[in-house]
Short mmCIF file of all heavy atoms in Angstrom, two decimals:
data_model
loop_
_atom_site.label_atom_id
_atom_site.label_comp_id
_atom_site.label_asym_id
_atom_site.label_seq_id
_atom_site.Cartn_x
_atom_site.Cartn_y
_atom_site.Cartn_z
N GLU A 110 17.40 -28.60 -3.18
CA GLU A 110 17.19 -27.43 -2.24
C GLU A 110 16.42 -28.02 -1.14
O GLU A 110 15.35 -28.55 -1.23
CB GLU A 110 16.38 -26.31 -2.83
CG GLU A 110 17.32 -25.61 -3.92
CD GLU A 110 16.71 -24.29 -4.45
OE1 GLU A 110 15.53 -24.28 -4.35
OE2 GLU A 110 17.51 -23.44 -4.93
N PHE A 111 17.01 -27.95 0.02
CA PHE A 111 16.34 -28.36 1.25
C PHE A 111 15.86 -27.39 2.29
O PHE A 111 16.68 -26.51 2.62
CB PHE A 111 17.34 -29.48 2.03
CG PHE A 111 16.76 -30.14 3.04
CD1 PHE A 111 15.89 -31.19 2.89
CD2 PHE A 111 17.05 -29.73 4.29
CE1 PHE A 111 15.33 -31.83 4.08
CE2 PHE A 111 16.57 -30.40 5.52
CZ PHE A 111 15.72 -31.55 5.29
N ARG A 112 14.63 -27.36 2.56
CA ARG A 112 14.07 -26.40 3.52
C ARG A 112 13.95 -27.02 4.82
O ARG A 112 13.43 -27.99 4.97
CB ARG A 112 12.80 -25.76 3.03
CG ARG A 112 13.07 -24.90 1.84
CD ARG A 112 11.79 -24.58 1.04
NE ARG A 112 12.09 -23.71 -0.15
CZ ARG A 112 12.56 -24.30 -1.30
NH1 ARG A 112 12.79 -25.66 -1.33
NH2 ARG A 112 12.93 -23.51 -2.24
N SER A 113 14.22 -26.18 5.86
CA SER A 113 13.93 -26.62 7.22
C SER A 113 13.66 -25.47 8.12
O SER A 113 14.35 -24.48 7.90
CB SER A 113 15.23 -27.49 7.69
OG SER A 113 15.22 -27.56 9.04
N ARG A 114 12.88 -25.61 9.11
CA ARG A 114 12.61 -24.66 9.98
C ARG A 114 13.82 -24.28 10.82
O ARG A 114 14.02 -23.37 11.52
CB ARG A 114 11.48 -25.04 10.92
CG ARG A 114 10.21 -24.30 10.56
CD ARG A 114 9.16 -24.72 11.52
NE ARG A 114 8.97 -26.09 11.67
CZ ARG A 114 8.39 -26.61 12.74
NH1 ARG A 114 7.97 -25.97 13.85
NH2 ARG A 114 8.34 -27.95 12.86
N LEU A 115 14.83 -25.26 10.87
CA LEU A 115 15.93 -25.17 11.70
C LEU A 115 16.82 -23.92 11.06
O LEU A 115 17.58 -23.19 11.90
CB LEU A 115 16.94 -26.47 11.61
CG LEU A 115 16.25 -27.56 12.38
CD1 LEU A 115 17.19 -28.80 12.15
CD2 LEU A 115 16.21 -27.14 13.84
N ILE A 116 16.76 -23.65 9.83
CA ILE A 116 17.44 -22.55 9.23
C ILE A 116 16.99 -21.20 9.85
O ILE A 116 17.73 -20.49 10.27
CB ILE A 116 17.22 -22.56 7.69
CG1 ILE A 116 17.77 -23.87 7.14
CG2 ILE A 116 18.03 -21.33 7.17
CD1 ILE A 116 17.45 -23.98 5.65
N GLU A 117 15.70 -20.99 10.03
CA GLU A 117 15.23 -19.92 10.61
C GLU A 117 15.55 -19.82 12.14
O GLU A 117 15.83 -18.82 12.67
CB GLU A 117 13.70 -19.68 10.50
CG GLU A 117 13.29 -19.14 9.21
CD GLU A 117 11.96 -19.66 8.66
OE1 GLU A 117 11.04 -19.63 9.52
OE2 GLU A 117 11.75 -20.35 7.60
N GLN A 118 15.51 -20.94 12.71
CA GLN A 118 15.84 -21.10 14.16
C GLN A 118 17.28 -20.72 14.46
O GLN A 118 17.57 -19.94 15.37
CB GLN A 118 15.70 -22.54 14.71
CG GLN A 118 14.22 -22.78 15.13
CD GLN A 118 13.94 -24.20 15.62
OE1 GLN A 118 14.91 -24.78 16.12
NE2 GLN A 118 12.91 -24.79 15.25
N LEU A 119 18.10 -21.17 13.50
CA LEU A 119 19.61 -20.82 13.64
C LEU A 119 19.73 -19.43 13.42
O LEU A 119 20.53 -18.65 14.21
CB LEU A 119 20.34 -21.55 12.55
CG LEU A 119 21.86 -21.29 12.49
CD1 LEU A 119 22.48 -21.66 13.69
CD2 LEU A 119 22.50 -22.06 11.35
N GLU A 120 18.99 -18.81 12.54
CA GLU A 120 19.01 -17.29 12.33
C GLU A 120 18.73 -16.53 13.58
O GLU A 120 19.50 -15.60 13.92
CB GLU A 120 18.16 -16.96 11.08
CG GLU A 120 18.44 -15.59 10.50
CD GLU A 120 17.47 -15.13 9.40
OE1 GLU A 120 16.97 -16.20 8.65
OE2 GLU A 120 17.19 -14.01 9.31
N SER A 121 17.53 -16.95 14.11
CA SER A 121 17.16 -16.22 15.34
C SER A 121 17.94 -16.50 16.49
O SER A 121 18.18 -15.59 17.38
CB SER A 121 15.68 -16.56 15.76
OG SER A 121 15.45 -17.85 16.01
N GLU A 122 18.55 -17.50 16.51
CA GLU A 122 19.46 -17.85 17.67
C GLU A 122 20.78 -17.03 17.53
O GLU A 122 21.22 -16.47 18.49
CB GLU A 122 19.87 -19.35 17.69
CG GLU A 122 20.26 -19.97 18.84
CD GLU A 122 20.52 -21.50 18.87
OE1 GLU A 122 19.47 -22.21 18.36
OE2 GLU A 122 21.55 -21.88 19.20
N ILE A 123 21.11 -16.87 16.37
CA ILE A 123 22.32 -16.06 16.12
C ILE A 123 21.96 -14.52 16.46
O ILE A 123 22.77 -13.86 17.22
CB ILE A 123 22.69 -16.05 14.64
CG1 ILE A 123 23.38 -17.48 14.31
CG2 ILE A 123 23.80 -15.00 14.22
CD1 ILE A 123 23.58 -17.64 12.78
N ARG A 124 20.84 -14.15 16.12
CA ARG A 124 20.46 -12.72 16.38
C ARG A 124 20.37 -12.66 18.04
O ARG A 124 20.87 -11.67 18.50
CB ARG A 124 19.15 -12.50 15.78
CG ARG A 124 18.93 -10.83 15.83
CD ARG A 124 17.40 -10.61 15.21
NE ARG A 124 17.38 -10.98 13.95
CZ ARG A 124 16.29 -11.79 13.58
NH1 ARG A 124 15.51 -12.18 14.31
NH2 ARG A 124 16.26 -12.08 12.32
N LYS A 125 19.80 -13.63 18.58
CA LYS A 125 19.50 -13.51 20.07
C LYS A 125 20.93 -13.46 20.78
O LYS A 125 21.07 -12.76 21.73
CB LYS A 125 18.71 -14.61 20.53
CG LYS A 125 17.79 -14.20 21.64
CD LYS A 125 16.85 -15.20 22.23
CE LYS A 125 16.47 -16.45 21.48
NZ LYS A 125 15.54 -17.37 22.08
N GLU A 126 21.75 -14.36 20.46
CA GLU A 126 23.02 -14.57 21.11
C GLU A 126 24.11 -13.57 20.83
O GLU A 126 25.02 -13.29 21.71
CB GLU A 126 23.54 -15.93 21.06
CG GLU A 126 22.46 -16.94 21.80
CD GLU A 126 23.10 -18.28 21.94
OE1 GLU A 126 24.28 -18.44 21.78
OE2 GLU A 126 22.27 -19.21 22.29
N THR A 127 24.03 -13.07 19.57
CA THR A 127 25.23 -12.13 19.19
C THR A 127 24.76 -10.77 18.85
O THR A 127 25.59 -9.86 18.80
CB THR A 127 26.01 -12.63 17.99
OG1 THR A 127 25.13 -12.63 16.86
CG2 THR A 127 26.35 -14.16 18.19
N GLY A 128 23.44 -10.63 18.56
CA GLY A 128 22.87 -9.22 18.06
C GLY A 128 23.28 -9.10 16.69
O GLY A 128 22.95 -8.04 16.03
N TYR A 129 23.74 -10.01 15.92
CA TYR A 129 24.05 -9.92 14.53
C TYR A 129 22.71 -10.29 13.72
O TYR A 129 22.14 -11.25 13.99
CB TYR A 129 25.14 -10.95 14.08
CG TYR A 129 26.58 -10.38 14.40
CD1 TYR A 129 26.83 -9.78 15.52
CD2 TYR A 129 27.58 -10.60 13.35
CE1 TYR A 129 28.20 -9.34 15.79
CE2 TYR A 129 28.84 -10.22 13.69
CZ TYR A 129 29.18 -9.56 14.91
OH TYR A 129 30.39 -9.14 15.06
N ASP A 130 22.44 -9.48 12.69
CA ASP A 130 21.48 -9.70 11.85
C ASP A 130 21.97 -10.51 10.60
O ASP A 130 22.86 -9.95 9.94
CB ASP A 130 20.88 -8.45 11.40
CG ASP A 130 19.42 -8.33 11.59
OD1 ASP A 130 18.76 -9.30 11.93
OD2 ASP A 130 18.82 -7.17 11.67
N VAL A 131 21.49 -11.73 10.36
CA VAL A 131 21.89 -12.45 9.27
C VAL A 131 21.39 -11.97 7.97
O VAL A 131 20.16 -11.76 7.68
CB VAL A 131 21.48 -14.01 9.41
CG1 VAL A 131 21.95 -14.77 8.29
CG2 VAL A 131 22.09 -14.57 10.77
N LEU A 132 22.34 -11.68 7.07
CA LEU A 132 22.01 -11.22 5.69
C LEU A 132 22.00 -12.23 4.68
O LEU A 132 21.04 -12.42 3.79
CB LEU A 132 23.00 -10.16 5.17
CG LEU A 132 23.10 -8.82 6.11
CD1 LEU A 132 24.11 -7.91 5.55
CD2 LEU A 132 21.68 -8.11 6.12
N SER A 133 22.88 -13.30 4.84
CA SER A 133 22.88 -14.45 3.91
C SER A 133 23.50 -15.60 4.69
O SER A 133 24.13 -15.40 5.69
CB SER A 133 23.64 -14.17 2.69
OG SER A 133 24.98 -14.04 2.98
N MET A 134 23.07 -16.75 4.20
CA MET A 134 23.50 -17.94 4.85
C MET A 134 23.68 -18.99 3.80
O MET A 134 22.77 -19.45 3.12
CB MET A 134 22.51 -18.43 6.01
CG MET A 134 23.07 -19.56 6.71
SD MET A 134 22.47 -19.61 8.42
CE MET A 134 20.87 -19.00 8.35
N ARG A 135 24.93 -19.50 3.61
CA ARG A 135 25.22 -20.42 2.55
C ARG A 135 25.69 -21.71 3.17
O ARG A 135 26.65 -21.86 3.69
CB ARG A 135 26.31 -19.95 1.60
CG ARG A 135 25.72 -18.98 0.48
CD ARG A 135 26.76 -18.81 -0.44
NE ARG A 135 27.96 -18.27 -0.07
CZ ARG A 135 29.00 -17.96 -0.81
NH1 ARG A 135 28.91 -18.32 -2.10
NH2 ARG A 135 30.07 -17.47 -0.24
#
Side-chain angles (χ1 to χ4, degrees):
E110 293 191 332
F111 184 76
R112 287 167 186 79
S113 162
R114 258 184 306 159
L115 288 177
I116 300 169
E117 280 151 53
Q118 272 176 38
L119 180 60
E120 193 183 334
S121 66
E122 209 175 306
I123 290 170
R124 194 184 303 123
K125 217 179 344 182
E126 292 194 13
T127 67
Y129 277 41
D130 237 341
V131 175
L132 297 174
S133 70
M134 186 149 35
R135 276 196 300 178

